[in-house]
């Protein structure tokens, strides 16, 4: 018979692997008696593991949720996956979870066996966000968890929403004025910011809300039946929603017509809206941090360009034409 400590660890590993176990099956898997199983279950309970008895012909046990987090066991693959996920979380800004993720990663590394620690050391992962013109606002982790819980429970959210991030991070603060009401569907992250995809009850339309600009009101509203998201794919919906949106982080946005097939332009366009208008021509919408840089972004497609709008983009092309003609002539800046 294995020693008591090894037996307890083996028993705990089995209890974590699935919901219910009969006492007979546990005894067979561990090659011990039912009486020993009952004693070992009592020992685990004394250590803080919330193990409930399950009624049945043979009796059974279930590891349930408790009020505190007891020690956990992971197999090699789970440990590697967990440390990779924590590395990404620790280097991703904006969620308010980077610092606790880093602490959790250090805790796990300290107890990893040498064979796994070497594998993790060789696999160093860093999340690199796409550069933006404005840094992402930090999100209060309690607000993020509360919004995610409402998504899971399908409970209507009531919140105040501002065009700027709230000065207070207390998610339960109630302010004057009518609250926004929305049926939460998904929480997504994009370019370091966190968004809620939801059905806006007051506007009867799908909307995306920045979580850092939400001040939650309590309690939540009633539960609701789920709605079908347009297109059925949340990633495609969010990408489509941000194309041409001022909240995409670009202060300057414009549209042109290019004398190129839409399929060709789409291959080399990461952040933009490409529309096929036939006869090897397409309409392209892009954003940038300034009008001259936006005009230069369109010019990189190396074809004839017709500006659809706005007027600032036409002016930027004229400005660049003057600048480039002086450069070509060898003139010094005036």
């Amino acid at each position: 018979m294995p020693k008591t400590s090894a037996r307890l660890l083996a028993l705990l590993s089995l209890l974590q692997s699935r919901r219910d176990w009969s006492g007979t099956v546990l005894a067979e898997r561990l090659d011990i008696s039912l009486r020993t199983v009952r004693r070992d279950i009592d020992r685990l309970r004394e250590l803080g593991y919330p193990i409930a008895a399950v009624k049945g012909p043979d009796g059974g046990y279930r590891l349930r949720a408790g009020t505190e987090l007891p020690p956990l066991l992971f197999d090699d693959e789970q440990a590697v996956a967990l440390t990779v996920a924590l590395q990404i979380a620790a280097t991703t800004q904006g969620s308010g979870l980077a610092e606790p993720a880093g602490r959790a990663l250090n805790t796990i590394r300290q107890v990893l066996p040498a064979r796994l620690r070497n594998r993790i050391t060789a696999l160093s992962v860093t999340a690199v966000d796409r550069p933006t013109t404005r840094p992402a606002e930090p999100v209060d982790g309690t607000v993020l968890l509360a919004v995610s819980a409402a998504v899971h429970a399908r409970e209507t959210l009531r919140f105040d929403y501002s065009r700027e991030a709230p000065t207070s991070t207390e998610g339960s603060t109630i302010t004057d004025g009518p609250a926004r009401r929305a049926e939460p569907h998904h929480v997504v992250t994009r370019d370091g910011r966190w968004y809620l995809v939801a059905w806006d009850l007051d506007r009867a339309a799908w909307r995306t809300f920045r979580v850092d600009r939400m001040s939650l009101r309590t309690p939540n509203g009633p539960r609701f039946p789920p709605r079908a998201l347009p297109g059925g794919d949340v990633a495609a919906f969010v990408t489509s929603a941000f194309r041409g949106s001022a909240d995409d982080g670009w202060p300057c946005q414009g549209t042109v017509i290019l004398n190129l097939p839409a399929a060709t332009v789409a291959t080399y366009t990461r952040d933009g809206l490409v529309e096929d208008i036939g006869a090897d021509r397409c309409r392209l919408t892009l954003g940038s941090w300034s009008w001259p840089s936006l005009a230069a972004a369109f010019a990189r497609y190396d074809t004839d360009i017709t500006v659809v709008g706005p007027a600032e983009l036409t002016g930027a092309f004229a400005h660049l034409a003057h600048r480039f003609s002086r450069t070509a002539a060898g003139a010094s800046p005036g």
Side-chain angles (χ1 to χ4, degrees):
M1 179 183 297
K3 292 183 179 179
T4 301
S5 58
R7 209 173 56 240
L8 290 177
L9 290 175
L11 175 58
L12 179 59
S13 179
L14 290 175
L15 291 172
Q16 289 180 167
S17 64
R18 76 183 193 196
R19 183 173 175 82
D20 294 327
W21 285 89
S22 72
T24 301
V25 173
L26 287 174
E28 292 175 352
R29 293 288 294 270
L30 297 172
D31 193 22
I32 56 178
S33 66
L34 275 172
R35 182 180 179 183
T36 302
V37 169
R38 289 192 290 270
R39 285 204 308 263
D40 288 349
I41 290 292
D42 290 337
R43 291 190 179 99
L44 288 176
R45 287 170 176 163
E46 292 173 359
L47 294 173
Y49 293 95
I51 302 174
V54 179
K55 295 181 179 180
D58 299 324
Y61 302 97
R62 174 185 303 165
L63 182 62
R64 56 179 176 80
T67 57
E68 296 181 354
L69 182 66
L72 302 175
L73 290 178
F74 300 99
D75 59 32
D76 287 8
E77 289 75 15
Q78 289 175 323
V80 171
L82 182 60
T83 51
V84 170
L86 287 173
Q87 283 188 49
I88 295 174
T91 56
T92 299
Q93 302 301 316
S95 67
L97 302 176
E99 191 273 336
R103 288 191 288 108
L105 181 60
N106 289 333
T107 299
I108 291 176
R109 279 175 171 165
Q110 290 177 4
V111 297
L112 285 176
R115 67 179 187 281
L116 288 182
R117 190 180 302 113
N118 293 335
R119 290 173 62 185
I120 297 303
T121 301
L123 180 60
S124 180
V125 180
T126 300
V128 179
D129 294 330
R130 180 170 62 92
T132 60
T133 57
R134 293 173 295 176
E137 295 290 341
V139 174
D140 184 356
T142 58
V143 174
L144 189 61
L145 290 175
V147 172
S148 298
V151 171
H152 179 74
R154 295 175 182 167
E155 293 179 346
T156 302
L157 278 175
R158 300 165 59 249
F159 56 93
D160 297 290
Y161 193 71
S162 64
R163 297 303 300 174
E164 300 297 335
T167 55
S168 173
T169 58
E170 296 181 5
S172 60
T173 300
I174 298 179
T175 60
D176 295 332
R180 303 288 290 269
R181 299 179 307 124
E183 297 175 354
H185 189 278
H186 264 80
V187 174
V188 299
T189 181
R190 183 178 188 271
D191 290 338
R193 294 189 177 96
W194 292 84
Y195 298 89
L196 170 68
V197 178
W199 175 260
D200 192 320
L201 290 169
D202 298 312
R203 291 159 177 78
W206 288 96
R207 292 287 188 269
T208 56
F209 301 97
R210 275 181 51 174
V211 177
D212 61 284
R213 293 177 177 174
M214 297 171 61
S215 295
L216 300 182
R217 295 196 182 196
T218 56
N220 291 342
R223 300 189 66 180
F224 58 89
R227 297 177 185 266
L229 188 70
D233 183 78
V234 66
F237 174 83
V238 171
T239 299
S240 176
F242 279 113
R243 285 170 174 166
S245 167
D247 197 35
D248 200 21
W250 297 122
C252 303
Q253 295 183 358
T255 302
V256 302
I257 293 176
L258 302 178
N259 289 346
L260 287 173
T264 301
V265 174
T267 302
Y268 301 100
T269 302
R270 180 175 181 269
D271 294 306
L273 176 61
V274 183
E275 301 171 85
D276 187 357
I277 57 177
D280 289 338
R281 301 171 75 230
C282 67
R283 182 184 292 108
L284 175 62
T285 300
L286 293 178
S288 189
W289 61 275
S290 72
W291 293 112
S293 68
L294 181 58
F298 285 121
R300 71 186 178 91
Y301 290 93
D302 191 23
T303 187
D304 292 335
I305 299 172
T306 301
V307 175
V308 176
E312 290 87 347
L313 180 57
T314 302
F317 275 109
H319 174 72
L320 288 183
H322 177 68
R323 175 182 292 171
F324 291 162
S325 64
R326 290 179 59 85
T327 300
S332 58

